[in-house]
Amino acid sequence: MQTAEDVSLPVKVINKPKRVLTSDTKQALVPVRRPDSGGVEGPVISLLANHFLVKFDSGQRIFHYNVEISPTPSKEIARMIKQQVVTQNPVMFSDALPAYDCRKNLYSPIEFQNDKLELFINLPIPASKSVSICGKTGDLHKLFRINIKLVSKLDGKELNSYLSKDSDDWIPLPQDYLHALDVVLRESPTEKCIPVGRSLYSSSMGGTEEIGGGAIGLRGFFQSLRPTQQGLALNVDFSVTAFHESIGVIPYLQKRLDFFKGVRKTRGLDIEERKEVAKALKNIRIFVCHRETVQRYRVYGLTEEETENLWFTDRDGENLRLLSYFKDHYNYDIQYRNLPCLQISRSKPCYLPMELCMICEGQKFLGKLSDDQTAKILKMGCQRPKERKSIINGVMQGPVGPTSGNQGREFNLHISREMTRLNGRVLQPPKLKLGDGGNIKNLVPSRHDCQWNLLDSHVFEGTQIERWALISFGGSLDQKSNVPKFINQLSQRCEQMGIFLNKNTVISPQFETSQVLNNVTLLESKLKKILRAASNNLQLLICVMDRKHKGYADLKRIAETNIGIVSQCCLYSNLARLSSQFLANLALKINAKIGGCTVALYNTLPSQIPRLFQLDEPVIFMGADVTHPHPLDDFSPSVAAVVGSMNWPAANKYVSRMRSQTHRQEIIQDLGPMVAELLDDFYQEVKKLPERIIFFRDGVSETQFYKVMKEELQAIKEACLKFPNYKPTITFAIVQKRHHTRLFTNEADLNQYGNENIPPGTVVDTVITHPKEFDFFLCSHWGVKGTSRPTHYHILWDENEFTSDELQKLVYNLCYTFVRCTKPVSLVPPAYYAHLAAYRGRLYLERYESVTRSVSTISRSSPPRAKPLPKLSEKVRKLMFYC
C-alpha cells in the first residue's frame, strides 16, 4: 500500500511555501503557515476570550516518573496511595509535591533521591468480617506495592521554540512537556472534583439537578492548555453533563425503565425486559449496603436464574442457597425473590441481590439521553454570555479551579486570572439575490441578527411540484380533519414564495395507523401502493405523524433506496397551529429537496475573489464528516459522508455520497472513490472538471489533524488521477464546532451591538489562534440562546494560496447560502450538508443495528466488518434529499 511519502505529492515547506518537493526528499507533509499577519477587512470589535495566559520558565526541568501499582487500584484509590506515599516519605521525594495523573505518570519539579523507588503501603479499606458471596475474605487493610522509575527529564525549550514567531522551521508540538503541564494544572481540581475527559464536575458549582430516567445533571468546567500567538494559554469553559443518580439499584431501574415501575416483589422479568435491565446496568459500578465496606463492584450482567433459585459454593466447598445465606449471615430476608441477581465478576459466579446494591456516585451517564433529558441538560448549560463569563471567572478564582492548589508555584508557573483581551473584526453581510417574481429581488441583510424574510420576495429558484401525495400515520379524528386545510395553506405559502405546489394531490390523502411504522414489510407495501396509484410518477411524498417515531428511519430508507421518492415529514402538533413560519420552513425544505434553491450571492464568487476565481474556471466545494455510534455501542459501523457543490458560480446545490466503515474509524476509508464519483457528477453538470477543490473536513480532533491530512489529502489526489492530465489545486480545511473557546463582547460595546452575544461575522485570527499555522475563529450566526460558539477553521493544506481576508470572506458568504433557512448558519454549508448526509446514512443502518444488538453479546472485542449502506435510488441520488 502506498503512503503519502511514497507517492509524488506537492509538499509545502514552511519557510519556502512555493517550493514543491518530490517523494525523493522523503519529507513529511506539514501544515501550511499563516499567509500573512491576519485579515484586515471589517470594523474592529473589542473582545474577551476565555483563554488565561500561562507563563512558564522554559529552563524549569520536569522529571517524568513511571508508576506501577500492584494490585491495580481504581483512580480514587491510586490518588489516595500517591498522597499517603508522598506525605510519609518526604526525604525520598526530595520534599517535592509531584503531580500524578492517577494512571502511570508522575511529574516532579525536583529529581528524587533515587531513579528507582519501591514502596509498600497498607491502605485501610474496611470490608466485611465474614465471607462474602464471592467467597472473598474481608481485610481491614490492603497491601499495595508501588514501583516508581525515572523515565525522562523534560524542559520547556522546545515548547518555547514552538510558540516563538521568530522560528521559521516547522517543529512538532512537544506533547510530553505540554502533557506534564496539563497534569500539573489538573492536580488540585482532580482532588476536589469528578474528572470526566478534560472536564471536572463538582456539586459545589450549583448543586445537582434531576433530569429524569435515573440521571442527574452536574455542573463543572473544562480546562485545556493551548499553544497560541500570545503564548501558552489555559482554555477554561463552563460545562454540564449527565451522571447516574446515586440511589438503590431498584429505585434507579424504576426511574430509568417504564416497565420496571410495575415490577412488584412477586413479579419477575420476561426475556425482553431482562435484556433491557442488563443493558441499563452493564458496566455500572455499585456498592453494597448490607455490610460496611468501601469496595466497589462492576456489573457485568444478570444471573440466568431468579434470586430464589440461586445457590453458590463458599470457600469451604459447601453448597449454600443464596436466600438462606443472607438470612443466616445478615438476618436479612430478600424481598425481590423473582428478580435476577447482579453478576459482578467477568469469569466466575459472583452474585449480589439488586435490592442490596447502590449506584456509586460520580459515574458519567454513557447511554443515549432521551429528548426530555437532553432538553434539561441543554437548559442547565444554556447560560447567557454575561452569566457564563461570570462562572468562568469564578472558577479561575475559586476553591476548585486550576489556580486553587500549590502545584503552579511548585513548577514555576504563573496563571493569569484575567480573560484575554483582544480585537476581532466584524465582516459585512453579502448582498443576496432572490427570485425574479417577487417585489424584492435583492437585499443586504441589515437586521442585527442578519436574518431576512420572504414575505415580499421569492426563493431564488422555485420548483414546480405537480405530482405529489400525502400519507398520515396515527392522529386523532380532529387532527386528521386539519389535513385539507394544511394542504391548501401549504400550497398558498409556496405560491407566495415562488414555489408551485399543486393544490390537488395525485391521489387522495392516505390515512394509516401509527402501527404501520412498526412493520417494515407493511410500510414498504403501502409506499409502493401509493407510487403505483400515481402511475410511478411522484415528485414528493409528505408524511404526517402523530409523534416522533422510530419508524421514521425505515420510512426514509425505504423511500430513498428501495422506491426512489423524496419525502418530507412533519408532526400533527404543528398542523393545529399552521403558523406562517412553520409553512415557510416546510416550503424551503421541500423546494431544496426537489432541486430548487433559496438564495444566491448577488456578487458571484469570481467577482468577489477575482485573484483566484474565474467564471470559466469552475470550483467545487466539498464537505466531509464521519458519524460514530453512541458510546455504549461496541460494534455498529461508523458512517462517512462527502458532499460536493454541483453548480458554478452559484455553488449552492450539493450532491452527497455516503458509506459505512469500520466501527469508530475516524479516517474516511472510501474517500477516494467518493470524491471521484462527485467529480464525475460535477463534470456531467458543468461540462468541465473543477480547477480548484476547496475541501472542508468536519469532526476531527486536534490529535488527528496530521493523520487525517496525510491520508485524506492523498485520497483526494488519487481520485483526481483517475481523470487524464487532471491536477486541480486543493485547499484542505478542518472545521471544528466542538471546542471550548468563547468570545465575549466588552462591556463598553454592549450598547452598540444591542446584545451580550457577539454579532454575526465576528472573526478572530490573532492572539488566541495558532502561533504559526493558518487558522481563525468565525462566528457567522446570531446566538439566540446561550452563548454563541464560534466555528474554528484550521487550514492544513492550501495550494490555492488564499489570503486570510479572502478565505474568511468566502466562508462567511457561503454561510448565507444554506437552503433550509433565511439567515446565516454557524457552519460553512458543505460541512453542514456532510453532517446531515452522515446522519441520514446512520438512519439507514438503525434497523440493522437494533436487530444485531438484541442477539449479540459482543463486548469491546474487534468490531465486525461494516455492513454496507443500501444503494440510493437513481431518482433521488442527485437531489438534496438529506437536507
Side-chain angles (χ1 to χ4, degrees):
M1 182 182 165
Q2 290 179 311
T3 65
E5 288 87 350
D6 299 324
V7 180
S8 290
L9 261 178
V11 180
K12 293 198 175 182
V13 180
I14 284 302
N15 54 349
K16 296 178 182 175
K18 293 197 178 178
R19 182 180 161 206
V20 175
L21 300 176
T22 66
S23 58
D24 299 335
T25 62
K26 292 291 178 190
Q27 176 152 344
L29 300 174
V30 294
V32 66
R33 286 196 69 156
R34 194 179 302 280
D36 43 43
S37 56
V40 294
E41 280 197 20
V44 171
I45 179 173
S46 180
L47 300 167
L48 292 170
N50 59 341
H51 286 216
F52 298 84
L53 188 63
V54 177
K55 290 183 179 172
F56 65 97
D57 178 358
S58 60
Q60 169 71 55
R61 300 190 89 180
I62 295 179
F63 299 90
H64 178 198
Y65 292 88
N66 183 67
V67 180
E68 296 281 351
I69 303 176
S70 180
T72 306
S74 66
K75 285 186 185 177
E76 293 89 345
I77 301 294
R79 195 174 299 121
M80 289 165 64
I81 291 170
K82 175 257 176 181
Q83 285 168 344
Q84 198 150 326
V85 162
V86 171
T87 307
Q88 291 175 1
N89 303 278
V91 176
M92 201 178 281
F93 288 94
S94 306
D95 286 319
L97 288 175
Y100 179 43
D101 69 356
C102 299
R103 291 188 185 92
K104 295 197 171 215
N105 300 298
L106 187 78
Y107 299 99
S108 172
I110 306 165
E111 192 167 5
F112 300 156
Q113 285 196 338
N114 298 302
D115 289 351
K116 287 184 182 179
L117 300 174
E118 185 175 58
L119 302 124
F120 292 86
I121 185 169
N122 253 326
L123 208 64
I125 300 181
S128 127
K129 294 172 186 170
S130 57
V131 180
S132 79
I133 307 161
C134 302
K136 297 174 185 171
T137 53
D139 295 319
L140 291 173
H141 286 75
K142 195 165 187 176
L143 185 68
F144 292 93
R145 185 179 72 184
I146 303 103
N147 287 96
I148 299 172
K149 180 184 173 184
L150 181 66
V151 178
S152 59
K153 300 175 183 180
L154 309 168
D155 65 46
K157 288 172 186 167
E158 278 189 12
L159 182 56
N160 223 25
S161 300
Y162 186 87
L163 295 167
S164 166
K165 291 177 183 174
D166 303 328
S167 165
D168 276 339
D169 294 327
W170 183 84
I171 55 169
L173 179 66
Q175 292 282 7
D176 290 348
Y177 194 76
L178 202 62
H179 179 68
L181 295 182
D182 200 47
V183 171
V184 168
L185 292 177
R186 291 173 70 83
E187 176 78 6
S188 181
T190 302
E191 288 175 2
K192 304 158 191 169
C193 302
I194 303 164
V196 177
R198 290 186 174 273
S199 296
L200 299 117
Y201 298 91
S202 169
S203 54
S204 68
M205 288 187 64
T208 61
E209 285 185 29
E210 275 198 51
I211 62 169
I216 55 168
L218 204 56
R219 296 173 179 86
F221 61 95
F222 166 93
Q223 70 171 66
S224 176
L225 282 168
R226 298 187 61 79
T228 68
Q229 288 189 45
Q230 68 169 333
L232 194 61
L234 189 67
N235 178 203
V236 178
D237 191 24
F238 174 60
S239 180
V240 173
T241 199
F243 287 83
H244 294 286
E245 193 174 355
S246 182
I247 53 176
V249 165
I250 285 181
Y252 171 81
L253 290 171
Q254 286 169 338
K255 286 186 173 188
R256 182 153 181 193
L257 303 170
D258 286 339
F259 67 80
F260 213 91
K261 293 184 177 84
V263 169
R264 300 284 179 264
K265 293 172 185 177
T266 53
R267 160 160 139 48
L269 303 174
D270 64 31
I271 294 171
E272 286 305 314
E273 289 172 344
R274 182 185 281 267
K275 284 178 184 172
E276 286 296 309
V277 170
K279 184 176 155 190
L281 293 177
K282 190 173 181 186
N283 290 324
I284 286 181
R285 294 196 312 278
I286 52 119
F287 64 94
V288 294
C289 53
H290 63 283
R291 55 189 168 90
E292 281 188 23
T293 175
V294 294
Q295 197 159 356
R296 302 292 184 254
Y297 307 99
R298 188 177 295 279
V299 179
Y300 287 101
L302 304 180
T303 57
E304 292 292 326
E305 299 283 344
E306 279 77 22
T307 303
E308 64 181 359
N309 299 327
L310 280 173
W311 292 71
F312 69 96
T313 306
D314 71 1
R315 295 180 83 237
D316 302 323
E318 188 180 348
N319 207 25
L320 299 174
R321 191 183 183 201
L322 189 130
L323 291 179
S324 307
Y325 172 84
F326 273 90
K327 181 65 177 171
D328 296 343
H329 284 77
Y330 303 106
N331 194 27
Y332 183 82
D333 285 312
I334 303 291
Q335 303 295 306
Y336 290 85
R337 300 179 175 208
N338 290 307
L339 292 179
C341 276
L342 304 181
Q343 169 65 22
I344 55 164
S345 169
R346 195 191 295 272
S347 54
K348 59 185 176 184
C350 197
Y351 316 136
L352 285 173
M354 285 188 195
E355 65 200 77
L356 297 177
C357 298
M358 303 278 292
I359 309 280
C360 296
E361 68 177 350
Q363 297 182 79
K364 188 175 184 330
F365 192 97
L366 292 175
K368 199 172 182 181
L369 293 174
S370 68
D371 289 349
D372 190 46
Q373 287 174 319
T374 303
K376 286 176 180 173
I377 282 287
L378 289 175
K379 190 177 179 185
M380 283 181 72
C382 188
Q383 312 293 339
R384 293 302 289 169
K386 196 172 182 180
E387 193 179 346
R388 194 181 199 98
K389 186 166 68 174
S390 173
I391 292 169
I392 294 168
N393 284 329
V395 167
M396 290 304 292
Q397 288 154 18
V400 298
T403 61
S404 60
N406 298 318
Q407 263 67 32
R409 285 193 296 277
E410 278 279 307
F411 288 82
N412 232 345
L413 297 174
H414 178 265
I415 305 129
S416 170
R417 286 169 170 78
E418 299 287 323
M419 284 194 181
T420 297
R421 293 181 179 275
L422 70 155
N423 286 332
R425 294 169 290 110
V426 183
L427 303 180
Q428 298 308 296
K431 190 174 184 180
L432 304 175
K433 195 172 183 181
L434 300 165
D436 289 336
N439 293 331
I440 298 171
K441 295 178 177 59
N442 55 73
L443 61 87
V444 176
S446 55
R447 283 173 37 161
H448 65 282
D449 56 7
C450 290
Q451 292 191 33
W452 68 97
N453 62 54
L454 294 169
L455 291 175
D456 294 312
S457 49
H458 285 183
V459 293
F460 178 68
E461 189 181 326
T463 49
Q464 297 276 320
I465 306 164
E466 297 276 1
R467 300 182 63 81
W468 69 284
L470 183 144
I471 186 169
S472 153
F473 299 100
S476 65
L477 284 172
D478 272 358
Q479 287 176 322
K480 291 174 188 175
S481 68
N482 288 324
V483 167
K485 181 184 171 189
F486 164 63
I487 291 172
N488 188 45
Q489 292 202 13
L490 180 61
S491 178
Q492 284 179 19
R493 191 72 185 94
C494 282
E495 190 180 348
Q496 290 163 9
M497 294 165 65
I499 304 160
F500 176 77
L501 179 71
N502 197 329
K503 281 189 167 64
N504 301 308
T505 54
V506 288
I507 58 169
S508 59
Q510 305 293 296
F511 294 95
E512 305 291 347
T513 66
S514 56
Q515 294 305 311
V516 172
L517 287 168
N518 292 325
N519 186 325
V520 180
T521 311
L522 184 58
L523 177 61
E524 185 165 351
S525 71
K526 296 283 184 188
L527 297 184
K528 284 181 175 174
K529 185 180 171 187
I530 289 173
L531 188 61
R532 280 197 305 273
S535 307
N536 288 323
N537 182 4
L538 200 63
Q539 292 170 276
L540 171 71
L541 178 65
I542 291 184
C543 310
V544 189
M545 299 179 181
D546 58 352
R547 59 188 167 83
K548 289 184 179 178
H549 200 287
K550 286 182 180 176
Y552 171 83
D554 287 321
L555 175 71
K556 289 294 183 183
R557 178 177 48 78
I558 294 164
E560 290 156 8
T561 63
N562 297 15
I563 298 176
I565 49 175
V566 171
S567 58
Q568 177 60 55
C569 297
C570 57
L571 296 173
Y572 266 118
S573 54
N574 289 316
L575 265 59
R577 295 187 293 276
L578 283 182
S579 69
S580 176
Q581 188 63 59
F582 165 70
L583 292 169
N585 290 345
L586 208 59
L588 287 180
K589 288 186 75 175
I590 289 168
N591 187 55
K593 288 179 181 185
I594 304 299
C597 65
T598 305
V599 69
L601 297 170
Y602 185 85
N603 297 309
T604 61
L605 293 175
S607 67
Q608 290 188 43
I609 310 175
R611 188 181 72 85
L612 293 179
F613 295 159
Q614 307 295 326
L615 265 175
D616 59 347
E617 294 179 0
V619 177
I620 189 170
F621 296 97
M622 288 185 173
D625 193 12
V626 179
T627 173
H628 302 294
H630 67 80
L632 290 181
D633 187 328
D634 294 332
F635 54 86
S636 295
S638 293
V639 176
V642 185
V643 302
S645 58
M646 290 292 130
N647 55 346
W648 176 258
N652 56 8
K653 291 183 183 180
Y654 287 78
V655 162
S656 68
R657 288 293 180 277
M658 301 171 284
R659 299 278 200 284
S660 62
Q661 61 181 43
T662 305
H663 174 77
R664 298 205 187 285
Q665 166 139 342
E666 188 49 60
I667 303 293
I668 300 176
Q669 285 172 341
D670 289 338
L671 181 62
M674 287 196 275
V675 167
E677 287 176 27
L678 289 170
L679 289 173
D680 193 48
D681 282 353
F682 187 92
Y683 183 79
Q684 304 297 326
E685 295 292 328
V686 184
K687 309 307 178 203
K688 274 186 180 181
L689 283 168
E691 298 283 330
R692 303 177 193 273
I693 296 174
I694 320 291
F695 191 91
F696 295 98
R697 176 67 157 90
D698 196 3
V700 179
S701 63
E702 285 172 346
T703 54
Q704 296 277 306
F705 275 15
Y706 173 74
K707 190 173 187 222
V708 165
M709 175 178 77
K710 185 176 126 178
E711 296 190 30
E712 296 190 359
L713 180 64
Q714 180 61 26
I716 295 168
K717 287 183 175 286
E718 284 179 1
C720 297
L721 292 174
K722 293 180 180 175
F723 302 89
N725 303 316
Y726 179 53
K727 287 187 179 176
T729 47
I730 298 168
T731 296
F732 190 104
I734 301 284
V735 184
Q736 290 177 301
K737 280 286 284 180
R738 292 185 177 180
H739 62 82
H740 286 267
T741 295
R742 297 291 184 275
L743 300 169
F744 304 94
T745 50
N746 233 332
E747 300 291 334
D749 287 330
L750 281 181
N751 293 333
Q752 181 184 349
Y753 293 102
N755 185 282
E756 299 165 31
N757 260 324
I758 53 177
T762 301
V763 66
V764 168
D765 56 8
T766 59
V767 187
I768 60 168
T769 47
H770 194 279
K772 295 168 185 163
E773 293 173 16
F774 189 6
D775 71 326
F776 58 90
F777 290 95
L778 171 65
C779 182
S780 49
H781 71 295
W782 173 249
V784 180
K785 287 183 178 180
T787 305
S788 295
R789 187 200 311 245
T791 300
H792 185 221
Y793 296 88
H794 198 125
I795 294 80
L796 297 180
W797 189 259
D798 185 27
E799 293 168 353
N800 291 302
E801 298 183 340
F802 281 99
T803 65
S804 293
D805 276 327
E806 285 169 342
L807 193 56
Q808 289 162 11
K809 183 179 180 180
L810 170 66
V811 169
Y812 184 49
N813 287 0
L814 286 175
C815 288
Y816 281 80
T817 64
F818 189 65
V819 291
R820 292 199 331 195
C821 55
T822 54
K823 61 183 177 183
V825 288
S826 64
L827 192 64
V828 68
Y832 204 142
Y833 294 139
H835 176 76
L836 294 175
Y839 174 71
R840 180 56 53 86
R842 162 79 50 227
L843 277 187
Y844 291 169
L845 282 176
E846 264 191 5
R847 185 159 194 84
Y848 155 74
E849 284 178 358
S850 60
V851 170
T852 316
R853 191 180 296 123
S854 65
V855 297
S856 173
T857 54
I858 295 170
S859 176
R860 298 208 182 274
S861 55
S862 60
R865 188 170 176 158
K867 180 183 173 74
L869 293 177
K871 196 170 183 293
L872 282 172
S873 164
E874 284 297 314
K875 294 178 186 174
V876 302
R877 193 174 66 85
K878 293 191 176 182
L879 296 173
M880 293 179 69
F881 62 90
Y882 53 84
C883 72

